[in-house]
Amino acid sequence: MIILAVNAGSSSLKFQVLKMPDETLVASGVCERIGLDDSNFTLKYDGQKKTFENPFPTHKEAVDFLLKALVDEAILPSLDVIKGVGHRVVHGGEAFKDSVAIDQAVKVAIDDVSDLAPLHNPANLMGIEAFEKALPGVPQVAVFDTAFHQTMPKEAYMYATPYEWYEKYRVRKYGFHGTSHKYVSQRTAEILGTPLESTKTIVLHIGNGASLCAVDGGKSIDTSMGFTPLAGISMGTRSGDIDPAIIEYIAMKENRSIQSVLADLNKRSGYLGLSDVSSDSRDLWAASDKGNEKAHLAILKQAKMIVDYIGAYVLAMNGVDAIVFTAGIGENAPETRALVAKRLGFLGTEIDGKKNQVRGEEAIISKDGASVKLMVVPTNEEVMIARDTLRLIG
Ligand code: AMP
């Protein structure tokens, strides 16, 4: 059977067409610039890549075009083979501890937490509604970025702020990238051949956005992102953790609004802010290799933050079996992995310089006999979405 895994943004719609239960990728693509000029649609299948220039005023036209293309290009014999559509939904608040089959009440609940993810949840809902219209009767499933972290104990997810902020406004740590952390931690136990229930993993999802997660026995017990994806380690353009008093201080000094200072923390900080070079790790390493001290500092700062979190998570889990790198940088940047690993000797582990040269492939990269394994496991959120969709549609 065919399942679509969909990630709808405010002006984009990414998708994968997967044959289940064997998890084969049949086709993938993206519709970009929905509602804007120059909107286009890219479809990849059978080693080919086709781009269509077409006006897509709303997500509805993008979904209609996608479904028509799947049949016109003979990728699917007919739309009847599509048995489910799984949607990435960024925020499930406290209402959703697992993925869920979508009905009217679920849509209301997703809308209800839209103020916690104003850029994402309304867009995710647009995607859901476009597929409801295009494929009436085909079950749809919501897979939440936050759901995996709903197992965190209260002392991990509460901030030490007035309790009424939590009661009135739901201010707490939610965490993100949950689908990735879940996939990678499950795959790690499979690769190690250890039962998930007794495996302690620290997942380092390091991409343009980045979050770390302590997974004890298959359950998230702590994660570095917080109420929003701004918290945690420094990222491509985000600061990660800072003293919150800095926000008012800069607002006062520069006669600016809190929103504008927050925009700096989201868009002009992290790699980009410290280095003044780029938000992209490849540019940063290239500049650092040429002697750019600020680029070098941006790299060192992120590595220090990663190691600080690893230390905290080892103590929180009372041990660790595997520390696993994933996402754009984690999967592809041996130099970043080596820098982090250099500080982990106290755990009785050491990186193997040769094995660490791997890019985008599963591998154990620590030296033979290390008590804590260092690993690379490429993430696959779409497969996780398709698996949950299959489980929930029966
Ligand atoms: P993501 O957000 O997961 O797509 O990750 C984006 C980040 O991954 C960017 O900082 C890229 O520089 C980094 N990245 C992607 N490919 C490579 C590569 N081959 N070598 C080093 N960094 C890479």
Side-chain angles (χ1 to χ4, degrees), residues 205-209 236 271 279-283 285 326-336 359 379:
H205 178 115
I206 316 170
N208 191 33
Y271 279 170
S279 62
D280 189 294
S281 90
R282 286 163 287 202
D283 299 341
W285 277 103
T326 194
I329 297 169
E331 290 168 28
N332 295 299
E335 50 285 62
T336 299
R359 290 176 199 263
T379 194

